[in-house]
């Protein structure tokens, strides 16, 4: 009989494999005759390669080939843009010309028998450059409009701001941040004639196949991509980066399988980053706290060859009610590599500015920050003039505030202490889009009462292996241990990109539909029984169903987003400037929660990521030349266990959304990161009376 | 890694005869003990020695406490010393400094000697993508001056180098008047730890007084009542597993409510572990009142020189001294 599995806190089905080392990550795969690649990277930010002397490298022990723009095969680089690729511009071509546009750009590839031999020979390649003036500091860059320009306006924002009873205008800065997953990016490439197998760390196997096929000018069906386990990514594995091309190129030239694994330092040059962002927010309001005007501008760094954009200012249009709104998004092309999406992309940065400004407005008006938001709660999406498919902000404020004990807050800054420590309480609103993309899945019931279910999805950590097994088992009417779900292989039915919190909405819907069809077919042929196990025993051969699941027009009829509220307690040492987060309570209206244990874990991870964003993460770019000064795990600080507060409370408010997708899910991976940083900086203001508008809030900023 | 020959001598005499030298990038042969820092340096081509001489199993790792004080065999690991009951009881400053360093995994592997000889975290020293680093390539210049220097020193700097010494242990030991026993082919010598590391001046690539064929054999710390009334304060961007932004090691001898003698050293701010004798002198006889502590601490800033991003350290180190003295003074 059917047991309710969706909504149950089931432990990871792949957990034992992961903790025992049985899960095979990309760099651990073996291929017969495997050799190793090491990349030589540019040490100038702009210019031309004047000379390359690879003679010493070629004579070094174990070296098979040294590829540079002078001898590398010309690649097709056919047009291809996957969902994570910037819409404007052309991806970096590797080893095709003498032009260098950024630090760390690949300028040569060494293939050698052993890893150390390859790394050492790469150090022996002598490259000289004819450097040219480079722009590596956003303060000296020239921001330009997006293509096409991204500016929105409703009402009369300038007039309303000028006429407002209370107004404020401030600049908010987020530095460049890197994803820093624990697993390095790695690729193994193996050719068999014109067919290529890639084991690659990726959040989207099919896009890797499409991209590499386009780069090499071969049919995508000739490229198989395998990626069963991903050791964290946070967006760094959305795109197909140049090292994947280099692995395939090296394997073709060497005639042997080639493995390339990036070093930690290379991760800061080869896999994208959250862009340095400078935002200006002006708010106008009445004395009773009604927003009259919002002006929100954002400038972000991008490369000279692609326009990377994220939804930086989207939430500004619908988060709070306001009749007069202007947003303007610009990009600063610089001699850097192209940024990419990092957890909570767009919203995490944009909402830091908006929710900081709202807190400043609450202080200026002497209105409780929660009350200010309640007074500006919109009835619909005022930007798109559409109803929300569901919106539970009020419930989130209430649930989180109650759990946190917010009503005991003294609004006066520096009013709360614990010994020497100043205590501060702050909050912020969170939101992230609830998207869905076409996905396919296959379900196969077997006569022994087990089932195989598959989709070429990815699991970078949220628990796709587990949650899809739950959806499949419940839909099929089988115990969970009788269902084997597989993902991460282009031979499986196509799934969309594993990012943007769309995996359950998209792949989950496809899995549900395929399993429903398989079950219906089995029962129809099973001689009248309502028990699928009995039906399969009677049928005696596999029953298989494949489904392509596509969204309808719901996104045209509704504004669909998850919403949340984050409440934080910090302790700040007033003399030494150290901030430690003591408590975080987050409440989320994210539709149906398929697995509360995994979802809580995702939210806790997002909270810790938010602590990193607020207090320590910062890729320190040397403005003189564009090198990342702290491109290592010692000086680029991410939170460690001791930074995780003892209390991280996650509340999922009841939310039934009949419109968003068949499962009624919105996803929590991205929203978990959003709102945490402004809640922390708002709490720091409450603790200290100091408003820090530039992240991260390191001790020097609070002295 | 640059290819090297690994020697594993059978005894210390054989190791010393190979005349390797720690802490100099121009030395063709170098000793390796726990390797937690050395392996990073090798992997990133910061060090490219032709020869590595392993000291594994050749050096004393005993921890001995007697009436004269503490003697640490230089091969004792950070974890062993930090957890030693006698160290915890009689020299808590050392245990605190160690437990505030690195991670449990690193502390299980890293030795006392290696800790004192670990190289600077200066990102320009550690990134061979920069040509200029006087420590790595003598005479090539200093990329940190005029660069991103929030991590860098404000005391003991020169126009050729502003790199900090990263050791927490050394800061605590210098405050406790520790000495190092140096063993060489020609015999042994002993000198105060505070004289072991050299100021960068015009030769930042020469970091210590060790000559080729010399190793640290032991660290000795004299017994004192101050060693118990102490505190190691470490300010950093995250709660654990990070080098100091600023640290202060304080040991006090009290006379009722007044300080009889204070011993204070600073980390994260000096090109070597930095003792502040003028602050100590000003605190002799002082009460624990914030005003007098603050006045004394201000003397630490004499001759301090910020380079922009690290200017805040000059103020922060004074506050760290005040706080550490307050905490140590409040201890029974």
């Amino acid at each position: 009989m059917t047991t309710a599995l969706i909504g149950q806190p089931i432990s990871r089905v792949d957990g034992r494999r992961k903790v025992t080392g049985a899960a095979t990550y990309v760099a651990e795969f073996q291929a017969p005759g495997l050799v190793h690649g090491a990349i030589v990277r540019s040490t100038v930010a702009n210019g031309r390669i004047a000379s390359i002397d690879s003679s010493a490298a070629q004579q070094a022990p174990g070296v098979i080939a040294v590829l540079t723009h002078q001898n590398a095969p010309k690649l097709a680089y056919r047009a291809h843009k996957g969902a994570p690729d910037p819409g404007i511009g052309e991806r970096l071509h590797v080893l095709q010309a003498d032009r260098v546009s950024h630090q760390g750009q690949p300028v040569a590839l060494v293939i050698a028998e052993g890893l150390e031999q390859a790394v050492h020979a790469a150090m022996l390649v002598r490259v000289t450059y004819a450097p040219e003036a480079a722009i590596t500091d956003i303060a000296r860059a020239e921001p330009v409009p997006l293509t096409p320009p991204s500016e929105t306006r409703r009402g009369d924002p300038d007039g309303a701001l000028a006429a407002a009873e209370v107004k404020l205008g401030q600049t908010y800065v987020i530095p460049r941040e890197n994803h820093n997953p624990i697993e390095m990016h790695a690729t193994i490439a193996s050719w068999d004639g014109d067919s290529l197998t890639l084991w690659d760390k990726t959040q989207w196997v099919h896009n890797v196949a499409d991209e590499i096929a386009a780069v090499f000018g071969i049919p995508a069906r000739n490229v198989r991509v395998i990626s069963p386990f991903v050791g964290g990514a946070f967006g760094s594995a959305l795109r197909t980066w140049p090292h994947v091309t280099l692995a395939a190129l090296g394997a073709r030239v060497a005639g042997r399988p080639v493995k390339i694994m990036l070093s930690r330092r290379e991760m800061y040059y080869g896999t994208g980053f959250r862009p340095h962002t400078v935002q200006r927010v002006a708010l106008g309001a009445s004395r009773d706290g009604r927003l009259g005007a919002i002006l929100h501008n954002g400038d972000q760094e991008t490369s000279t060859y692609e326009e990377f954009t994220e939804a930086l200012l989207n939430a500004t249009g619908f988060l709070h009610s306001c009749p007069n709104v202007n947003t303007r998004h610009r990009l600063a092309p610089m001699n850097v590599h192209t940024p990419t999406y990092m957890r909570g992309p767009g919203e995490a940065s944009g909402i830091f500015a908006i929710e900081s400004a709202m807190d400043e407005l609450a202080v200026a008006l002497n209105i409780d920050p929660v009350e200010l938001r309640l007074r500006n709660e919109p009835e619909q999406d005022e930007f798109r003039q559409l109803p929300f498919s569901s919106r539970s902000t009020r419930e989130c404020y209430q649930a989180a505030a109650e759990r946190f004990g917010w009503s005991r807050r003294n609004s006066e800054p520096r009013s709360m202490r614990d010994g020497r420590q100043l205590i501060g309480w702050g909050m912020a609103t969170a939101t992230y889009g609830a998207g869905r993309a076409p996905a396919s899945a296959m379900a196969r019931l077997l006569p022994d009462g087990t089932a195989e279910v598959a989709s070429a999805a990815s699991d970078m950590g949220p628990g796709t292996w587990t949650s899809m097994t739950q959806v499949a088992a419940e839909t099929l009417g089988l115990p969970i241990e009788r269902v084997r779900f597989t993902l991460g292989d282009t031979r499986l039915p196509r799934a969309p990109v594993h990012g943007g919190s769309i995996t359950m909405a998209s792949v989950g819907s496809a899995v549900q539909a395929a399993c429903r069809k398989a079950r219906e077919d089995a029962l129809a042929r099973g001689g009248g029984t309502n028990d699928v196990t009995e039906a399969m025993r009677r049928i005696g051969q596999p029953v298989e169903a494949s489904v392509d699941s596509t969204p309808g027009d719901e996104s045209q009829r509704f504004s669909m987003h998850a919403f949340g509220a984050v409440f934080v307690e910090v302790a700040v040492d007033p003399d030494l400037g150290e901030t430690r987060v003591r408590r975080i309570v987050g409440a989320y209206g994210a539709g149906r929660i398929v697995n509360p244990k995994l979802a809580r874990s995702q939210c806790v991870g997002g909270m810790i990521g938010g602590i990193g964003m607020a207090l320590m993460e910062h890729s320190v770019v040397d403005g003189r030349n564009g090198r990342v000064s702290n491109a290592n795990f010692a000086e680029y600080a991410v939170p460690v266990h001791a930074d995780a507060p003892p209390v991280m409370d996650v509340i999922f408010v009841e939310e039934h959304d009949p419109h968003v997708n068949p499962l009624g899910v919105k996803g929590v991976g991205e929203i978990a990161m959003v709102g945490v940083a402004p809640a922390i900086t708002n709490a720091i203001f409450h603790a200290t009376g100091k408003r820090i508008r530039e992240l991260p809030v390191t001790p020097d900023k609070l002295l | 890694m640059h290819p090297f020959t690994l020697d594993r001598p059978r005894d210390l005499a054989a190791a010393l005869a190979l005349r390797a030298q720690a802490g100099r990038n121009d030395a063709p042969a170098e000793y390796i003990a726990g390797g937690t820092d050395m392996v990073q340096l090798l992997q990133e081509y910061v060090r490219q020695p032709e020869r590595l001489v392993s000291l594994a199993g050749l050096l004393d790792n005993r921890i001995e406490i007697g009436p004269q004080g503490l003697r640490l065999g230089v091969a004792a690991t950070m974890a062993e010393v930090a957890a030693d009951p006698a160290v915890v009881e009689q020299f808590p400053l050392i245990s605190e400094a160690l437990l505030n360093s690195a991670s449990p995994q690193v502390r299980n592997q890293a030795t006392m000697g290696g800790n004192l000889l670990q190289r600077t975290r200066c990102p320009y020293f550690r990134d061979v993508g920069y040509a200029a680093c006087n420590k790595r390539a003598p005479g090539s210049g200093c990329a940190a001056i005029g660069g991103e220097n929030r991590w860098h020193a404000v005391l003991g700097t020169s126009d050729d180098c502003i790199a900090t010494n990263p050791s927490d242990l050394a800061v605590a030991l210098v405050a406790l008047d520790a000495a190092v026993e140096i063993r060489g082919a020609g015999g042994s010598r002993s000198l105060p730890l505070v004289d072991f590391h050299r100021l960068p001046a015009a030769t930042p690539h020469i970091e210590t007084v060790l000559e080729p064929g010399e190793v640290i054999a032991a660290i000795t710390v004299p017994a004192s009542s101050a060693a118990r009334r102490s505190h190691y304060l470490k300010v950093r961007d995250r709660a654990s597993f990070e080098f100091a932004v600023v640290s202060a090691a304080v040991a006090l001898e009290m006379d009722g409510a007044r300080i009889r003698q204070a011993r204070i050293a600073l980390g994260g701010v000096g090109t070597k572990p930095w003792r502040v004798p003028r602050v100590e002198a000003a605190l002799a006889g002082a009460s624990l009142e914030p005003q007098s502590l603050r006045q004394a601490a201000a003397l630490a800033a004499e001759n301090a020189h910020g380079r922009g991003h690290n200017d805040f350290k000059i103020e922060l180190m004074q506050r760290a001294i005040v706080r550490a003295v307050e905490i140590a003074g409040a201890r029974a």
Side-chain angles (χ1 to χ4, degrees):
Chain A
M1 270 313 296
T2 305
T3 39
L5 290 168
I6 297 175
Q8 296 302 307
I10 290 165
S11 294
R12 290 175 190 266
V13 298
D14 53 338
R16 177 173 292 272
R17 272 186 286 173
K18 282 185 169 168
V19 300
T20 58
T24 307
Y25 290 83
V26 161
E28 300 173 314
F29 280 90
Q30 298 297 326
L34 182 76
V35 293
H36 297 266
I39 300 169
V40 181
R41 292 178 181 274
S42 156
T43 54
V44 300
N46 192 26
R48 290 183 183 279
I49 298 168
S51 70
I52 300 187
D53 177 3
S54 55
S55 54
Q58 268 159 349
Q59 284 156 30
V63 170
I64 296 164
V66 181
L67 297 179
T68 71
H69 71 277
Q70 293 162 340
N71 66 349
K74 293 300 154 202
L75 295 171
Y77 276 108
R78 286 184 191 157
H80 169 252
K81 285 190 189 298
D85 299 318
I88 304 297
E90 172 60 19
R91 75 263 230 222
L92 187 72
H93 293 196
V94 287
L95 308 189
Q96 303 293 296
D98 63 354
R99 187 83 230 167
V100 168
S101 73
H102 59 274
Q103 284 278 2
Q105 180 176 327
V107 295
L109 173 70
V110 176
I111 307 294
E113 296 284 342
L115 171 62
E116 288 296 340
Q117 289 172 327
V119 169
H120 183 58
M123 287 298 292
L124 298 176
V125 176
R126 294 278 163 250
V127 186
T128 62
Y129 301 90
E132 296 166 22
I135 298 169
T136 53
D137 183 350
I138 201 169
R140 284 183 287 150
E142 199 75 38
V144 295
L146 275 59
T147 312
S150 174
E151 178 156 7
T152 71
R153 186 178 295 271
R154 69 169 179 262
D156 174 17
D158 297 302
L161 182 67
E165 292 173 345
V166 179
K167 59 192 99 177
L168 60 86
Q170 294 292 348
T171 300
Y172 303 88
V173 180
I174 293 155
R176 182 190 296 191
E177 297 167 3
N178 278 81
H179 306 73
N180 275 315
I182 197 70
E183 181 201 21
M184 308 301 179
H185 278 254
T187 306
I188 297 172
S190 178
W191 291 90
D192 180 5
D194 259 353
S195 292
L196 174 65
T197 301
L198 293 168
W199 290 266
D200 185 42
K201 173 178 176 141
T202 178
Q203 294 169 237
W204 195 7
V205 288
H206 275 101
N207 192 54
V208 175
D210 291 347
E211 168 68 3
I212 295 302
V215 170
F216 284 84
I218 59 176
R221 65 175 179 277
N222 284 16
V223 184
R224 182 181 180 192
V225 181
I226 300 168
S227 187
F229 293 99
V230 176
F234 311 108
S236 70
L238 290 166
R239 291 195 77 183
T240 307
W241 298 108
H243 68 269
V244 184
T245 296
L246 289 172
L249 182 63
R252 174 155 263 184
V253 170
R256 315 234 322 243
V258 166
K259 170 156 71 177
I260 292 178
M261 184 166 85
L262 303 188
S263 68
R264 180 62 63 186
R265 186 178 294 282
E266 285 184 286
M267 299 274 283
Y268 292 81
Y269 296 105
T271 58
F273 52 89
R274 191 195 300 280
H276 187 158
T277 302
V278 179
Q279 298 175 75
R280 177 88 188 161
V281 177
L283 298 181
S286 61
R287 275 189 223 293
D288 66 351
R290 312 274 166 191
L291 282 169
I294 304 175
L295 288 85
H296 188 179
N297 300 337
D299 294 340
Q300 299 189 288
E301 64 179 327
T302 191
S303 66
T304 55
Y305 51 94
E306 286 173 311
E307 287 189 17
F308 171 75
T309 63
E310 55 182 14
L312 179 69
L313 307 176
N314 283 20
T316 305
F318 64 81
L319 190 59
H320 302 302
S321 177
C322 182
N324 306 292
V325 178
N326 171 229
T327 67
R328 189 195 66 194
H329 193 178
R330 297 186 305 179
L331 293 175
M334 293 166 49
N335 290 105
V336 301
H337 59 298
T338 307
T340 195
Y341 303 105
M342 181 165 155
R343 197 173 191 179
E347 275 80 350
S349 299
I351 283 181
F352 168 67
I354 280 291
E355 288 298 283
S356 295
M358 285 294 280
D359 200 68
E360 298 199 49
L361 183 62
V363 171
L365 294 168
N366 197 24
I367 295 176
D368 179 86
V370 177
E371 175 58 27
L372 178 67
R373 287 165 176 82
L374 289 171
R375 287 185 196 178
N376 292 284
E377 179 68 9
E379 293 308 314
Q380 62 162 1
D381 180 333
E382 295 177 0
F383 177 63
R384 295 180 67 203
Q385 300 287 319
L386 288 175
F388 292 109
S389 63
S390 57
R391 172 168 167 137
S392 305
T393 31
R394 285 191 184 88
E395 293 80 1
C396 289
Y397 293 137
Q398 189 183 350
E402 193 176 308
R403 186 77 61 86
F404 189 86
W406 184 257
S407 63
R408 299 195 306 275
R409 180 178 185 260
N410 178 341
S411 64
E412 194 61 33
R414 300 179 74 91
S415 61
M416 296 164 67
R417 280 181 179 269
D418 179 1
R420 294 177 189 272
Q421 305 288 308
L422 295 170
I423 304 300
W425 289 3
M427 60 80 59
T429 314
T431 188
Y432 201 83
R436 181 185 169 196
S440 303
M442 181 282 298
R444 183 187 297 125
L445 281 159
L446 301 172
D448 66 358
T450 66
E452 294 166 348
V453 180
S455 179
S458 170
D459 187 351
M460 63 170 148
T464 316
W465 282 99
T466 307
S467 56
M468 293 303 162
T469 310
Q470 284 177 258
V471 171
E474 174 170 317
T475 310
L476 290 167
L478 292 176
I480 193 164
E481 61 275 8
R482 292 214 206 141
V483 177
R484 291 178 302 280
F485 177 75
T486 51
L487 52 67
D489 188 331
T490 45
R491 292 201 171 161
L492 305 176
R494 188 176 181 110
V497 61
H498 179 46
S501 293
I502 67 166
T503 296
M504 183 50 72
S506 312
V507 180
S509 295
V511 164
Q512 185 189 44
C515 291
R516 185 173 290 151
K517 187 157 181 285
R519 178 183 162 86
E520 283 167 2
D521 288 355
L523 293 180
R525 293 162 56 190
T529 177
N530 212 19
D531 181 331
V532 74
T533 308
E534 174 59 19
M536 287 309 301
R537 194 186 64 75
R538 292 182 193 173
I539 294 167
Q541 53 185 302
V543 173
E544 187 176 312
S546 290
V547 166
D548 300 323
S549 168
T550 52
D553 66 349
E554 59 273 4
S555 67
Q556 305 306 310
R557 294 184 288 118
F558 295 98
S559 175
M560 307 196 298
H561 308 268
F563 291 90
V566 185
F567 288 68
V568 167
E569 176 178 320
V570 299
V572 181
D573 189 306
D575 302 317
L576 306 177
E578 289 179 312
T579 302
R580 302 288 183 246
V581 177
R582 290 191 168 189
R583 289 194 293 150
I584 304 186
V585 178
Y588 303 94
R592 191 180 194 188
I593 301 301
V594 170
N595 184 323
K597 185 178 184 180
L598 291 173
R600 178 185 183 279
S601 183
Q602 258 189 304
C603 289
V604 165
M607 288 171 174
I608 295 171
I611 291 172
M613 182 178 181
L615 299 181
M616 58 194 82
E617 293 196 45
H618 179 188
S619 306
V620 181
V621 179
D622 189 319
R624 297 173 301 181
N625 51 39
R627 283 191 85 74
V628 181
S629 296
N630 57 342
N632 66 64
F633 250 2
E635 274 74 36
Y636 184 106
V638 297
V640 293
H641 280 110
D643 294 296
V647 176
M648 285 185 282
D649 215 332
V650 178
I651 301 163
F652 297 113
V653 302
E654 261 320 283
E655 187 177 81
H656 299 282
D657 190 323
H659 310 295
V660 66
N661 51 58
L663 283 163
V665 299
K666 290 180 172 177
V668 296
E670 315 284 352
I671 194 174
M673 180 86 191
V674 180
V676 181
I680 290 171
T681 52
N682 293 342
I684 289 171
F685 173 81
H686 184 233
T688 65
K690 290 178 183 161
R691 179 69 63 181
I692 308 300
R693 302 184 183 90
E694 180 164 4
L695 299 180
V697 190
T698 43
D700 43 301
K701 294 192 174 128
L702 289 172
L703 293 182
Chain B
M1 297 181 203
H2 184 84
F4 58 85
T5 303
L6 177 66
D7 287 298
R8 295 177 177 176
R10 273 183 305 154
D11 55 32
L12 186 57
L16 300 179
L18 290 168
R19 294 181 59 78
Q21 188 172 18
R24 275 187 71 152
N25 272 48
D26 55 353
E30 183 152 3
Y31 293 113
I32 181 169
T36 55
D37 190 33
M38 178 61 78
V39 172
Q40 294 180 56
L41 297 167
L42 294 172
Q43 285 182 328
E44 296 234 89
Y45 282 78
V46 179
R47 282 294 289 119
Q48 301 180 32
E50 300 300 322
R51 237 184 157 84
L52 272 186
V53 179
S54 173
L55 296 171
L58 305 185
L59 287 162
D60 189 3
N61 67 350
R62 286 170 298 176
I63 301 166
E64 298 164 299
I65 291 200
Q68 303 300 309
L70 173 68
R71 186 178 190 281
L72 299 172
V74 77
T77 66
M78 293 171 75
E80 288 164 351
V81 175
D84 186 274
V87 172
V88 171
E89 193 205 333
Q90 296 181 43
F91 297 92
L93 189 63
I94 294 172
S95 183
E96 282 177 31
L98 288 169
L99 293 176
N100 275 287
S101 304
S103 68
Q105 294 90 334
V106 173
R107 295 197 295 266
N108 283 337
Q109 175 72 13
T111 65
M112 291 292 99
N115 186 289
L116 297 183
L117 289 164
Q118 66 185 302
R119 309 300 295 276
T120 180
R121 296 300 315 176
C122 172
Y124 300 97
F125 171 74
R126 299 237 167 202
D127 180 0
V128 295
Y130 280 95
C133 174
N134 288 322
K135 239 184 215 314
R136 179 157 41 78
S140 59
C142 174
I145 296 171
E148 293 292 334
N149 51 42
R150 178 175 181 265
W151 298 281
H152 291 77
V154 295
L155 291 164
T157 60
S158 73
D159 289 340
D160 292 311
C161 186
I162 59 171
T164 48
N165 181 294
S167 171
D168 290 300
L169 171 69
V171 175
L173 290 175
V174 160
L176 295 174
D177 292 324
V180 285
E181 285 176 28
I182 295 172
R183 185 91 34 93
S188 293
R189 59 185 175 128
S190 179
L191 79 162
L193 179 61
V194 74
D195 298 327
F196 177 76
H197 295 95
R198 294 168 42 125
L199 288 172
T203 53
H205 63 290
I206 309 173
E207 296 186 351
T208 75
V209 301
L210 287 178
E211 296 290 336
E214 283 191 329
V215 299
I216 306 171
I219 300 163
T220 56
V221 190
S224 80
S225 64
R228 288 183 199 235
R229 182 170 291 195
S230 64
H231 184 63
Y232 191 75
L233 180 85
K234 184 169 177 180
V235 181
R236 45 186 161 179
D237 296 344
R238 68 179 171 195
S240 172
F241 201 8
E242 195 188 12
F243 294 93
V245 174
V246 165
S247 70
V250 169
L252 298 179
E253 258 182 80
M254 298 295 289
D255 184 0
R258 289 191 174 274
I259 298 166
R260 180 181 298 143
Q261 193 198 12
R263 300 170 195 191
I264 302 175
L266 301 174
V269 292
T271 51
K272 55 183 270 184
W274 204 261
R275 191 88 184 246
V276 283
R278 295 212 54 204
V279 178
E280 296 173 9
L283 285 173
S287 73
L288 292 170
E289 293 300 315
Q291 186 78 6
S292 55
L293 298 185
R294 180 75 212 180
Q295 275 175 10
L299 297 170
E302 285 186 341
N303 301 318
H305 181 24
R307 302 283 176 163
H309 302 121
N310 64 355
D311 290 348
F312 73 97
K313 287 186 175 183
I314 298 171
E315 170 65 23
L316 182 57
M317 69 186 187
Q318 297 173 51
R319 298 186 185 191
I321 291 170
V322 171
R323 175 68 61 83
V325 172
E326 285 175 345
I327 293 172
R331 287 199 169 153

